[in-house]
Amino acid sequence: MASNNDCTRLPFEPETVLVPAGSFIMGCDEDEHTATLPDFRIGKYPVTVGEFRAFIEGGGYHEARWWTEAGWRWRMDRDITQPFHWDDAQWSGDERLPVVSVSWYAAYAYCQWLAAQTGRTYRLPTEAEWEKAARGPDG
C-alpha cells in the first residue's frame, strides 16, 4: 500500500509494515506456483473509519482528480458521496472500526488522495502483494 516512515505519520495516515523481498507460494492446489516480489509496504491494519473520514472531509468524493475516469462516472451517475453504510453508527460510529462498503473506485481515489496529502507513495496492492502479505513469513 505505501512506502512511508511510520514515525513521521500524519494523524490520518495508516500504519504500514515492510514485507521483505523474496519468493513465496501463491495460489492453491493445482494453481499453486512460486512468485517472487521486491520488498514493499502494506497497511498493517484495515483502513479505519477515522482514516477514511479524513478523505471524505478533505473533498475526496468531490474532486475528480483522485478518481479513475470510470470511477468518477460511476460516482456521478449514482450520486455517491460516501460509502454505503456511512450514516449507520453500527458501521461507522467508532473511528477505530475498519471502514466498510468502500468500492474499488473509492479505494483507488483514497490512495491517490492520501499520496497527495502525505507526499508518499500509496496505492492498492497487487493480488500477489496482498497474498504474500496475508500468508506471512511462514507461507
Side-chain angles (χ1 to χ4, degrees):
M1 173 181 185
S3 64
N4 71 2
N5 178 346
D6 281 334
C7 64
T8 61
R9 278 186 307 127
L10 297 172
F12 56 84
E13 194 172 0
E15 184 177 352
T16 64
V17 294
L18 179 68
V19 178
S23 298
F24 71 104
I25 302 298
M26 184 172 174
C28 60
D29 301 328
E30 66 277 351
D31 292 332
E32 200 172 84
H33 60 281
T34 300
T36 304
L37 294 174
D39 63 354
F40 62 96
R41 297 191 74 83
I42 194 164
K44 186 173 183 177
Y45 307 105
V47 174
T48 67
V49 167
E51 291 162 350
F52 202 80
R53 185 179 309 283
F55 167 67
I56 293 173
E57 292 176 356
Y61 277 86
H62 298 290
E63 294 187 47
R65 65 182 167 149
W66 309 128
W67 298 72
T68 64
E69 194 173 315
W72 188 251
R73 252 190 335 271
W74 170 83
R75 192 202 79 66
M76 294 297 288
D77 289 348
R78 291 162 181 80
D79 194 29
I80 294 171
T81 59
Q82 61 192 24
F84 183 67
H85 293 292
W86 194 252
D87 290 329
D88 185 339
Q90 175 183 352
W91 302 109
S92 62
D94 184 330
E95 298 290 291
R96 299 166 298 170
L97 288 172
V99 69
V100 298
S101 299
V102 173
S103 70
W104 182 92
Y105 292 131
Y108 175 89
Y110 168 75
C111 289
Q112 297 302 302
W113 175 86
L114 186 60
Q117 303 313 302
T118 62
R120 295 187 248 278
T121 302
Y122 280 93
R123 62 177 176 78
L124 297 174
T126 65
E127 179 181 2
E129 287 169 339
W130 188 91
E131 186 165 339
K132 182 175 185 191
R135 285 180 178 266
D138 298 329

